[in-house]
Amino acid sequence: MSSLFSQKLNEKYTTLALSEADEVLTVSLNRPDKKNAMSLRMMRELIDVAERLKKDRSIRSVIINGAGDSFCAGIDLSDLNNPKNAMMGLYELLKPTQSIFQRVCLIWREVPVPVIVVTQGYCIGAGMQLALACDFRISTPDCQFAIMEAKWGLVPDMGLTQSALHVLPVDVLKELTMTARLIDANQAEQLHLVTHIDDTPYERAHALATEIATRSPDAVLASKRVINQMTKQSFCALYQEKMWQLKLMGGGKNRKLAIKKAKDNSVQFLKRQFS
């Protein structure tokens, strides 16, 4: 992928900024005024970049970071709740293949080069699920992390069943998912959510990319493929993500109460609806 190609894509994309140096492509989430909240357009653009990278043999590593003071503050709910997007979101949950929400994360496992995520500020919800689907995560010391969906009465449905299994023990994953707890970078490193903490995480990411580039690109690809295969789940797990999200969103009375409880902690939940 030449710098000229990156320039052409920069003219095409509105939510991403691309730059290339020393065979490393940097993909920047570029909605700093929204703390890089992930809109549907951003999802489509991220998938488009990854699809192009799957066919490209000139790039040796990818770094994903976020413009401004945060990596990604989750899904852009104002975009997702827009009536014109409601039917599309429903279709994505109903269709038999990966939803766009799962694809935007899991496609980075298919990219044939190392993918390094650099985080700062907030890395929560969709941002956390995107980061988990990548190969390495390098964070500033002040970054905060959360698998946030339970706060809104929802379940993680962006491929977490595939991406988190090789990172977290199941009991830890359950605790973080059920509590929606916000944790700091030191806790995240202890739990292996973060690979490295560094005051200059982008430089650390570039140094790692440079070190990996001293090895055969085929050996690097093979390493990624065989290690990812260790934690590959059946499609049933991804189907469960979508099925439960549909239940919670469609008929979940407690989901509506969760939204209210986020602003008023005195709100009480009803008895469990589902079994």
Side-chain angles (χ1 to χ4, degrees):
M1 183 179 292
S2 68
S3 297
L4 180 60
F5 189 28
S6 298
Q7 182 179 347
K8 289 180 180 178
L9 289 180
N10 275 325
E11 294 170 359
K12 173 184 177 182
Y13 298 149
T14 62
T15 68
L16 303 177
L18 275 59
S19 61
E20 181 193 334
D22 303 324
E23 300 180 307
V24 177
L25 179 70
T26 298
V27 180
S28 299
L29 311 185
N30 195 28
R31 303 182 76 211
D33 56 317
K34 299 282 189 179
K35 294 191 180 298
N36 298 315
M38 199 178 292
S39 64
L40 290 167
R41 186 179 184 93
M42 181 184 282
M43 292 182 204
R44 294 188 187 101
E45 291 182 359
L46 282 166
I47 291 169
D48 187 66
V49 173
E51 291 287 4
R52 292 172 185 273
L53 283 164
K54 287 163 65 175
K55 302 171 186 176
D56 185 271
R57 301 198 179 194
S58 63
I59 294 297
R60 297 292 303 274
S61 291
V62 177
I63 297 174
I64 302 178
N65 64 3
D69 59 7
S70 279
F71 171 64
C72 178
I75 280 190
D76 186 342
L77 292 176
S78 63
D79 182 61
L80 194 63
N81 293 332
N82 188 316
K84 69 179 183 181
N85 294 326
M87 288 304 296
M88 189 282 293
L90 179 62
Y91 165 74
E92 290 292 335
L93 290 174
L94 287 170
K95 72 180 187 181
T97 55
Q98 288 183 12
S99 70
I100 189 175
F101 311 107
Q102 294 169 333
R103 191 68 179 152
V104 70
C105 297
L106 296 180
I107 195 169
W108 298 98
R109 287 167 61 92
E110 300 171 12
V111 170
V113 296
V115 182
I116 308 167
V117 171
V118 171
T119 65
Q120 80 283 358
Y122 288 105
C123 177
I124 60 179
M128 184 75 259
Q129 293 190 74
L130 172 61
L132 283 170
C134 298
D135 301 301
F136 308 98
R137 289 157 297 283
I138 302 179
S139 172
T140 59
D142 62 348
C143 189
Q144 297 186 75
F145 302 83
I147 301 170
M148 189 64 77
E149 283 74 9
K151 180 177 179 180
W152 309 109
L154 298 173
V155 66
D157 67 339
M158 299 182 73
L160 191 75
T161 54
Q162 302 276 349
S163 61
L165 190 58
H166 68 299
V167 177
L168 294 170
V170 172
D171 57 342
V172 174
L173 180 59
K174 286 179 180 177
E175 183 173 347
L176 293 176
T177 303
M178 292 177 184
T179 64
R181 182 184 302 145
L182 202 64
I183 63 174
D184 61 28
N186 285 326
Q187 292 172 295
E189 186 181 38
Q190 291 169 10
L191 296 173
H192 306 293
L193 279 170
V194 167
T195 314
H196 303 291
I197 296 175
D198 201 290
D199 290 324
T200 55
Y202 183 80
E203 288 74 9
R204 180 72 175 266
H206 210 283
L208 177 58
T210 301
E211 182 181 1
I212 293 173
T214 65
R215 305 304 174 196
S216 159
D218 294 308
V220 171
L221 167 62
S223 297
K224 178 168 178 170
R225 291 284 187 258
V226 298
I227 294 171
N228 280 351
Q229 189 67 30
M230 291 168 57
T231 56
K232 188 173 182 179
Q233 300 292 294
S234 72
F235 180 75
C236 292
L238 291 177
Y239 171 76
Q240 285 283 324
E241 291 183 8
K242 298 200 293 182
M243 182 195 73
W244 277 105
Q245 199 72 296
L246 281 168
K247 283 186 176 183
L248 295 173
M249 293 177 67
K253 296 178 181 178
N254 279 317
R255 192 254 165 155
K256 295 177 181 178
L257 292 174
I259 295 172
K260 294 180 180 179
K261 192 175 182 68
K263 297 180 179 180
D264 179 4
N265 199 46
S266 66
V267 172
Q268 298 296 308
F269 289 114
L270 302 173
K271 290 183 178 180
R272 176 167 50 84
Q273 288 180 253
F274 304 111
S275 59

